[in-house]
Amino acid sequence: MENATQFELRLADRMSRLGTETAFEVLNRARQLEREGKEIVHLEIGEPDFATPANIVEAAVDALHKGWTHYGPSAGLPELRQTIATYVSETRGVPVSSDEVVVVPGGKPIIFFSILALVDPGDEVIYPNPGFPIYESMINYVGGRAVPIQLREERDFSLNVDELATRITDRTKLIIINSPQNPTGGVLQRKEIEGIARAVADRNIFVLSDEIYSRLIFEGEHFSIMSVPGFKERTILLDGFSKTYAMTGWRMGYGAMRPDLAAQITRLMTNSNSCTASFTQVAGVEALRGEQASVTEMCGEFKKRRDVFVAGLNEIRGFSCRMPKGAFYTFPNIRKTGWPSKKLATALLEEAGVACLAGTAFGEFGEGYLRFSVANSLENLQKALGRIGEWTEKNL
Ligand SMILES: Cc1ncc(COP(=O)(O)O)c(C=O)c1O
């Protein structure tokens, strides 16, 4: 083994441009502190704390017994593709057929594959900042030019359409939007989405619409750019099972897009994963067709927790927090503490035993904010509030 070190690791250049998702690093540090005997409240990771609904688990177990343990088609099992096509048609109000659906292991691969398939070096991609860090990471990875559009607190973290219009150039290949939004909980209203559509007008630009939190919305209704006349052909809809059905570890999501692009994304699936696990796809059919009460329950529970947590944050010295309209995150402004986001997040973890993320984990415009997930019990959320309150009283 010693000999192995005499060979320099000569990575491809592109690896230096690849970013990361800090949530996993913070989780690792929190686990290390736990091993050292500290007790941590976990508000860093973006996943529902509920169990996957029993009907879905049973469908998977049954599928395993029935032998759904082999390769399937790269684009997904025909029955699941059809079920998703029907679901997307009903929820977005535009007809979508099964050849316009590609099933992949999680929502993330749709980001990865769309950018790989569409963006050449030098092409510009407009993306939300603060936003899910994988957008910027992937744009940079393929040599594209990442063009941030700042989401501002005073606009409730929605997107300023006039600002977007000024960012669009002849090199713009792709615009990424995300609603409900990670990390801010912002939701794009129908009029804003229509404004985005007007700004794009008849240009040959794709919109990657990340709607992974579409069922976790507390006020108003979800609206997709795919529903805007003329946009179905230019929209890549990203949605999935992770957040809606508490299935983050199952790894299953999908994209809906025009069939010629779907065929290209399928080629990327063939070259990378071969297919999404077959028995999970059988369970995916049950998830979409079966009882939906658990989704409503989970959403109601997140709303309750959001209300309690936001009220509590607003009591803490130096913190102020808007009411997020969707997803399960709160994104308080912490500028009045005088601390930079990263330093404050680290201190809260190391000294107060509360794991959260710095706003800067979501891009440069996240400075001055922290992200707390409310995907934890009310009891733990109260405990976190108590600890942060005590810490700020002592240290600020
Ligand atoms: C905005 C956004 N898009 C996509 C994903 C990826 O979801 P999945 O776990 O299904 O890959 C996440 C997960 O945190 C997310 O927050």
Side-chain angles (χ1 to χ4, degrees):
M1 276 313 282
E2 269 177 22
N3 281 350
T5 57
Q6 70 181 294
F7 296 103
E8 184 194 351
L9 178 62
R10 293 185 301 158
L11 289 175
D13 282 349
R14 70 178 83 88
M15 288 304 287
S16 67
R17 301 194 298 266
L18 194 63
T20 189
E21 200 182 340
T22 314
F24 292 101
E25 284 160 25
V26 175
L27 178 65
N28 286 344
R29 176 66 189 144
R31 295 258 185 261
Q32 191 188 340
L33 289 169
E34 283 170 332
R35 280 193 298 275
E36 291 166 10
K38 287 214 170 133
E39 202 248 323
I40 307 288
V41 183
H42 288 274
L43 305 182
E44 74 278 43
I45 206 88
E47 66 171 345
D49 54 321
F50 300 99
T52 305
N55 62 316
I56 302 174
V57 174
E58 277 154 27
V61 171
D62 190 44
L64 279 167
H65 285 306
K66 287 186 173 143
W68 288 94
T69 51
H70 298 276
Y71 289 132
S74 294
L77 295 179
E79 194 184 354
L80 180 58
R81 290 176 82 195
Q82 185 52 58
T83 305
I84 292 169
T86 304
Y87 170 76
V88 172
S89 306
E90 284 170 8
T91 50
R92 273 64 171 197
V94 276
V96 169
S97 59
S98 60
D99 63 342
E100 294 174 303
V101 172
V102 187
V103 182
V104 293
K108 245 182 197 170
I110 290 296
I111 303 169
F112 199 94
F113 294 155
S114 305
I115 292 174
L116 271 182
L118 293 174
V119 181
D120 271 324
D123 284 347
E124 293 175 4
V125 183
I126 301 173
Y127 70 103
N129 188 325
F132 191 48
I134 302 307
Y135 308 142
E136 192 181 293
S137 167
M138 279 307 300
I139 300 162
N140 290 332
Y141 184 66
V142 301
R145 219 170 80 71
V147 180
I149 173 120
Q150 183 173 2
L151 305 187
R152 291 190 166 82
E153 184 182 353
E154 58 270 24
R155 303 185 71 97
D156 253 348
F157 298 109
S158 76
L159 185 153
N160 182 342
V161 173
D162 296 334
E163 208 171 317
L164 174 74
T166 67
R167 299 278 188 285
I168 298 174
T169 73
D170 292 344
R171 297 296 320 247
T172 307
K173 195 73 170 284
L174 181 68
I175 296 172
I176 302 175
I177 57 177
N178 172 214
S179 177
Q181 212 248 352
N182 177 11
T184 64
V187 168
L188 291 171
Q189 305 301 319
R190 182 183 182 128
K191 66 175 184 337
E192 287 155 346
I193 301 239
E194 286 170 347
I196 295 169
R198 268 196 305 280
V200 176
D202 56 1
R203 291 184 182 85
N204 190 2
I205 296 172
F206 266 99
V207 179
L208 171 58
S209 185
D210 185 340
E211 302 179 22
I212 196 94
Y213 298 101
S214 59
R215 301 276 291 274
L216 295 172
I217 195 153
F218 309 125
E219 273 115 50
E221 286 202 347
H222 179 68
F223 185 73
S224 173
I225 195 160
M226 190 177 232
S227 316
V228 176
F231 269 80
K232 189 192 149 195
E233 212 193 332
R234 288 175 289 165
T235 301
I236 302 160
L237 171 81
L238 180 165
D239 206 337
F241 298 82
S242 301
K243 318 284 178 178
T244 307
Y245 301 101
M247 292 174 73
T248 47
W250 293 62
R251 309 313 301 139
M252 183 165 49
Y254 56 86
M257 66 207 83
R258 53 196 259 184
D260 51 357
L261 181 59
Q264 300 303 322
I265 301 297
T266 303
R267 287 174 68 210
L268 286 165
M269 268 300 284
T270 307
N271 276 271
S272 54
N273 295 281
S274 294
C275 63
T276 306
S278 298
F279 56 92
T280 64
Q281 292 191 64
V282 175
V285 174
E286 172 61 24
L288 285 174
R289 286 193 192 156
E291 179 58 66
Q292 301 295 305
S294 55
V295 181
T296 319
E297 262 168 50
M298 246 191 290
C299 194
E301 196 55 39
F302 287 137
K303 186 168 189 250
K304 248 189 261 164
R305 296 171 183 185
R306 170 201 74 162
D307 292 345
V308 169
F309 200 67
V310 169
L313 284 176
N314 281 320
E315 297 291 312
I316 293 172
R317 181 182 297 167
F319 282 54
S320 69
C321 189
R322 293 208 167 218
M323 197 57 94
K325 295 194 174 75
F328 39 64
Y329 306 109
T330 57
F331 201 63
N333 184 325
I334 50 90
R335 279 187 211 284
K336 289 203 172 131
T337 64
W339 283 51
S341 302
K342 180 85 172 71
K343 191 170 162 213
L344 184 57
T346 305
L348 290 179
L349 173 61
E350 304 281 336
E351 296 167 27
V354 177
C356 65
L357 299 183
T360 45
F362 302 91
E364 58 185 308
F365 296 123
E367 184 53 87
Y369 298 89
L370 296 178
R371 189 195 79 172
F372 296 89
S373 159
V374 294
N376 206 322
S377 65
L378 265 182
E379 191 192 341
N380 280 335
L381 290 169
Q382 300 274 24
K383 194 192 281 180
L385 288 169
R387 288 182 181 183
I388 301 166
E390 257 173 52
W391 185 91
T392 50
E393 292 304 317
K394 241 190 264 164
N395 293 283
L396 298 183

CSV table of all heavy atoms in Angstrom, one decimal, residues 21 46 106-109 111 132 135 178 182 210 212-213 238 242-243 251 329, ligand 1:
chain,number,residue,atom,x,y,z
A,21,GLU,N,-22.2,19.9,-1.1
A,21,GLU,CA,-23.4,20.2,-0.4
A,21,GLU,C,-23.0,20.2,1.1
A,21,GLU,O,-22.8,19.1,1.7
A,21,GLU,CB,-24.5,19.2,-0.7
A,21,GLU,CG,-25.9,19.8,-0.3
A,21,GLU,CD,-27.0,18.8,-0.6
A,21,GLU,OE1,-26.9,17.9,-1.3
A,21,GLU,OE2,-28.1,19.0,0.1
A,46,GLY,N,-31.8,18.3,5.2
A,46,GLY,CA,-33.1,18.6,4.5
A,46,GLY,C,-33.8,17.3,4.2
A,46,GLY,O,-34.0,16.9,3.1
A,106,GLY,N,-33.3,9.8,-7.6
A,106,GLY,CA,-33.4,11.0,-6.8
A,106,GLY,C,-33.6,12.2,-7.8
A,106,GLY,O,-33.6,12.0,-9.0
A,107,GLY,N,-33.9,13.3,-7.1
A,107,GLY,CA,-34.1,14.5,-8.0
A,107,GLY,C,-32.8,15.1,-8.5
A,107,GLY,O,-32.7,15.6,-9.6
A,108,LYS,N,-31.8,14.9,-7.7
A,108,LYS,CA,-30.5,15.5,-8.1
A,108,LYS,C,-30.0,15.1,-9.4
A,108,LYS,O,-29.4,15.9,-10.2
A,108,LYS,CB,-29.4,15.0,-7.0
A,108,LYS,CG,-28.9,16.1,-6.2
A,108,LYS,CD,-27.8,15.5,-5.2
A,108,LYS,CE,-27.5,16.5,-4.1
A,108,LYS,NZ,-26.7,15.9,-3.1
A,109,PRO,N,-30.1,13.8,-9.8
A,109,PRO,CA,-29.5,13.5,-11.2
A,109,PRO,C,-30.2,14.2,-12.3
A,109,PRO,O,-29.6,14.4,-13.4
A,109,PRO,CB,-29.8,12.0,-11.3
A,109,PRO,CG,-30.0,11.5,-9.9
A,109,PRO,CD,-30.5,12.6,-9.1
A,111,ILE,N,-30.8,17.4,-12.2
A,111,ILE,CA,-29.9,18.6,-12.3
A,111,ILE,C,-28.6,18.2,-13.0
A,111,ILE,O,-28.2,18.9,-14.0
A,111,ILE,CB,-29.6,19.1,-10.9
A,111,ILE,CG1,-30.9,19.4,-10.1
A,111,ILE,CG2,-28.7,20.4,-11.0
A,111,ILE,CD1,-30.6,19.7,-8.6
A,132,PHE,N,-30.0,26.0,-3.9
A,132,PHE,CA,-29.5,24.7,-3.8
A,132,PHE,C,-28.1,24.6,-4.4
A,132,PHE,O,-27.9,24.9,-5.6
A,132,PHE,CB,-30.4,23.7,-4.5
A,132,PHE,CG,-30.1,22.2,-4.2
A,132,PHE,CD1,-29.9,21.8,-2.9
A,132,PHE,CD2,-30.1,21.3,-5.2
A,132,PHE,CE1,-29.7,20.4,-2.6
A,132,PHE,CE2,-29.9,19.9,-4.9
A,132,PHE,CZ,-29.7,19.5,-3.6
A,135,TYR,N,-26.7,23.4,-8.1
A,135,TYR,CA,-26.8,24.1,-9.4
A,135,TYR,C,-25.5,24.7,-9.8
A,135,TYR,O,-25.0,24.5,-10.9
A,135,TYR,CB,-27.9,25.2,-9.3
A,135,TYR,CG,-29.2,24.9,-8.8
A,135,TYR,CD1,-29.9,25.8,-8.0
A,135,TYR,CD2,-29.8,23.7,-9.1
A,135,TYR,CE1,-31.2,25.5,-7.5
A,135,TYR,CE2,-31.1,23.4,-8.6
A,135,TYR,CZ,-31.8,24.3,-7.8
A,135,TYR,OH,-33.0,24.0,-7.3
A,178,ASN,N,-36.6,27.5,-8.7
A,178,ASN,CA,-36.9,26.5,-7.7
A,178,ASN,C,-38.0,27.0,-6.7
A,178,ASN,O,-37.8,28.1,-6.1
A,178,ASN,CB,-35.6,26.2,-6.9
A,178,ASN,CG,-35.8,25.4,-5.6
A,178,ASN,OD1,-35.1,25.6,-4.6
A,178,ASN,ND2,-36.7,24.4,-5.7
A,182,ASN,N,-35.4,26.0,-1.6
A,182,ASN,CA,-34.4,25.7,-0.6
A,182,ASN,C,-33.3,26.7,-0.8
A,182,ASN,O,-32.8,26.7,-2.0
A,182,ASN,CB,-33.9,24.2,-0.8
A,182,ASN,CG,-32.8,23.8,0.1
A,182,ASN,OD1,-32.5,24.5,1.0
A,182,ASN,ND2,-32.2,22.7,-0.2
A,210,ASP,N,-37.2,23.3,-10.7
A,210,ASP,CA,-37.0,22.3,-9.6
A,210,ASP,C,-38.2,22.4,-8.6
A,210,ASP,O,-38.3,23.4,-7.9
A,210,ASP,CB,-35.7,22.7,-8.9
A,210,ASP,CG,-35.3,21.6,-7.8
A,210,ASP,OD1,-36.3,20.9,-7.3
A,210,ASP,OD2,-34.2,21.6,-7.4
A,212,ILE,N,-39.2,20.0,-6.4
A,212,ILE,CA,-39.1,18.8,-5.5
A,212,ILE,C,-40.0,19.1,-4.3
A,212,ILE,O,-40.4,18.1,-3.6
A,212,ILE,CB,-37.6,18.5,-5.2
A,212,ILE,CG1,-37.4,17.2,-4.6
A,212,ILE,CG2,-37.0,19.6,-4.3
A,212,ILE,CD1,-37.1,16.1,-5.5
A,213,TYR,N,-40.2,20.3,-3.9
A,213,TYR,CA,-41.1,20.6,-2.7
A,213,TYR,C,-42.5,21.0,-3.1
A,213,TYR,O,-43.2,21.6,-2.3
A,213,TYR,CB,-40.4,21.8,-1.9
A,213,TYR,CG,-39.0,21.4,-1.4
A,213,TYR,CD1,-37.9,21.9,-2.0
A,213,TYR,CD2,-38.9,20.6,-0.2
A,213,TYR,CE1,-36.6,21.6,-1.5
A,213,TYR,CE2,-37.6,20.3,0.3
A,213,TYR,CZ,-36.5,20.8,-0.4
A,213,TYR,OH,-35.3,20.5,0.1
A,238,LEU,N,-38.4,19.1,-12.6
A,238,LEU,CA,-37.8,18.1,-11.7
A,238,LEU,C,-38.8,17.9,-10.5
A,238,LEU,O,-39.2,18.9,-9.9
A,238,LEU,CB,-36.5,18.7,-11.2
A,238,LEU,CG,-35.6,18.0,-10.2
A,238,LEU,CD1,-34.2,18.6,-10.2
A,238,LEU,CD2,-36.1,17.9,-8.8
A,242,SER,N,-38.5,12.0,-2.7
A,242,SER,CA,-37.7,12.1,-1.5
A,242,SER,C,-38.4,12.9,-0.4
A,242,SER,O,-38.5,12.5,0.8
A,242,SER,CB,-36.4,12.9,-1.8
A,242,SER,OG,-35.7,12.1,-2.7
A,243,LYS,N,-38.9,14.1,-0.8
A,243,LYS,CA,-39.5,15.0,0.3
A,243,LYS,C,-40.9,14.8,0.5
A,243,LYS,O,-41.4,14.8,1.6
A,243,LYS,CB,-39.3,16.5,-0.2
A,243,LYS,CG,-37.9,16.8,-0.8
A,243,LYS,CD,-36.8,16.9,0.2
A,243,LYS,CE,-35.5,17.1,-0.5
A,243,LYS,NZ,-34.3,17.3,0.4
A,251,ARG,N,-33.8,6.9,-3.0
A,251,ARG,CA,-33.2,7.4,-4.2
A,251,ARG,C,-34.1,7.2,-5.5
A,251,ARG,O,-33.9,6.3,-6.3
A,251,ARG,CB,-31.8,6.9,-4.5
A,251,ARG,CG,-30.8,7.0,-3.4
A,251,ARG,CD,-30.8,8.4,-2.7
A,251,ARG,NE,-30.4,9.4,-3.6
A,251,ARG,CZ,-31.1,10.6,-3.6
A,251,ARG,NH1,-32.1,10.9,-2.7
A,251,ARG,NH2,-30.7,11.6,-4.4
A,329,TYR,N,-37.9,24.6,5.6
A,329,TYR,CA,-36.7,25.4,6.1
A,329,TYR,C,-37.1,26.8,6.6
A,329,TYR,O,-38.1,27.4,6.2
A,329,TYR,CB,-35.7,25.6,5.0
A,329,TYR,CG,-35.3,24.3,4.3
A,329,TYR,CD1,-35.8,24.0,3.0
A,329,TYR,CD2,-34.5,23.4,4.9
A,329,TYR,CE1,-35.4,22.8,2.4
A,329,TYR,CE2,-34.2,22.2,4.3
A,329,TYR,CZ,-34.6,21.9,3.0
A,329,TYR,OH,-34.3,20.7,2.4
B,1,LIG,C1,-34.0,22.2,-4.2
B,1,LIG,C2,-33.7,20.8,-4.2
B,1,LIG,N1,-33.6,20.1,-5.4
B,1,LIG,C3,-33.3,18.8,-5.4
B,1,LIG,C4,-32.9,18.1,-4.3
B,1,LIG,C5,-32.5,16.7,-4.4
B,1,LIG,O1,-33.4,15.8,-4.0
B,1,LIG,P1,-33.1,14.2,-4.0
B,1,LIG,O2,-32.7,13.8,-2.6
B,1,LIG,O3,-34.4,13.6,-4.4
B,1,LIG,O4,-32.0,13.9,-4.9
B,1,LIG,C6,-33.0,18.7,-3.0
B,1,LIG,C7,-32.6,18.0,-1.8
B,1,LIG,O5,-32.3,18.6,-0.8
B,1,LIG,C8,-33.4,20.1,-3.0
B,1,LIG,O6,-33.4,20.8,-1.8
